[in-house]
Amino acid sequence: MKGQLIDMFFSEGAILFGRFILTSGRESEYYINVKKLSTNPEALRIIARLMAEKAKTLGIEFDRVAGPELGAVPIATALALETGKPLVIVRKKPKGHGTGSQIEGEVKPGDRILLVEDVTTTGGSVLRAAEVLENVGAEIAAISVVVDREEGAGERIEKKYRFIPLVTVSELFARRNSAGMEE
């Protein structure tokens, strides 16, 4: 399944080449658009199954699945459906109306959360989401990402949490190079 997912990055046009500014503010010669895959039911199903299998294989126990808005929401939703675990969505900012909550879904003190993200570069976004969850008493069981760009996120996240990338940029480009794919 992992090889199938890697192939889908190319067949679905989820990797673009050019000049891009990333969420982290860094400039990059390539852009990984996991949303191209997370909006495709077949690819999203593969992502959820791989995340569920990897968590099970590693013995990671969790009560809920969470994802920061926006890119991680379909992934977290699919993983919640795959595992039967409740879904939690972490907003970037507290909403300005109603309860003013930054979290959608129930989180009880002591709940173990499998936090998911689409792509990590520095890890800043997912670490902010982890902090929001911890501030309401949750424990982060692990952080699982679809793609690790291998630009420091793994090292930064692993200082405090278990880090589980499904695919690394090295693996994507190794497949691309072995298949003779052009930019």
Side-chain angles (χ1 to χ4, degrees):
M1 264 195 311
K2 182 174 176 175
Q4 187 180 358
L5 178 63
I6 290 172
D7 289 343
M8 290 180 96
F9 274 93
F10 297 101
S11 65
E12 299 297 316
I15 300 179
L16 303 172
F17 295 91
R19 182 182 174 276
F20 303 93
I21 302 297
L22 307 175
T23 303
S24 64
R26 292 185 182 184
E27 190 175 317
S28 178
E29 295 178 3
Y30 64 93
Y31 179 70
I32 299 172
N33 187 358
V34 175
K35 290 168 198 70
K36 281 269 205 183
L37 299 181
S38 65
T39 56
N40 172 323
E42 182 184 352
L44 186 57
R45 191 173 295 114
I46 291 170
I47 290 167
R49 286 188 181 144
L50 284 170
M51 282 186 168
E53 286 177 11
K54 203 142 188 186
K56 185 176 182 179
T57 300
L58 294 172
I60 294 166
E61 295 182 15
F62 56 99
D63 305 303
R64 299 180 187 284
V65 175
E69 67 170 334
L70 174 72
V73 172
I75 297 162
T77 302
L79 185 56
L81 290 168
E82 180 72 22
T83 61
K85 304 288 185 179
L87 171 67
V88 177
I89 299 168
V90 182
R91 293 175 178 274
K92 291 177 183 163
K93 299 176 188 169
K95 63 182 182 176
H97 58 282
T99 62
S101 178
Q102 196 167 350
I103 296 173
E104 298 298 334
E106 186 178 14
V107 177
K108 298 178 198 145
D111 277 350
R112 296 165 300 177
I113 307 278
L114 178 56
L115 183 56
V116 303
E117 182 63 290
D118 56 353
V119 179
T120 54
T121 302
T122 64
S125 298
V126 77
L127 287 169
R128 282 189 294 280
E131 185 178 342
V132 168
L133 291 164
E134 288 178 330
N135 286 341
V136 297
E139 297 172 18
I140 306 302
I143 294 177
S144 182
V145 302
V146 180
V147 179
D148 176 22
R149 288 179 56 100
E150 299 176 290
E151 294 183 31
E155 296 80 2
R156 194 169 166 206
I157 291 167
E158 286 176 339
K159 287 180 182 176
K160 191 168 181 185
Y161 309 107
R162 190 137 188 211
F163 181 59
I164 310 166
L166 293 186
V167 179
T168 63
V169 162
S170 298
E171 291 171 316
L172 285 174
F173 289 158
R175 176 66 64 98
R176 173 179 168 256
N177 294 337
S178 69
M181 297 176 190
E182 296 296 321
E183 286 184 25

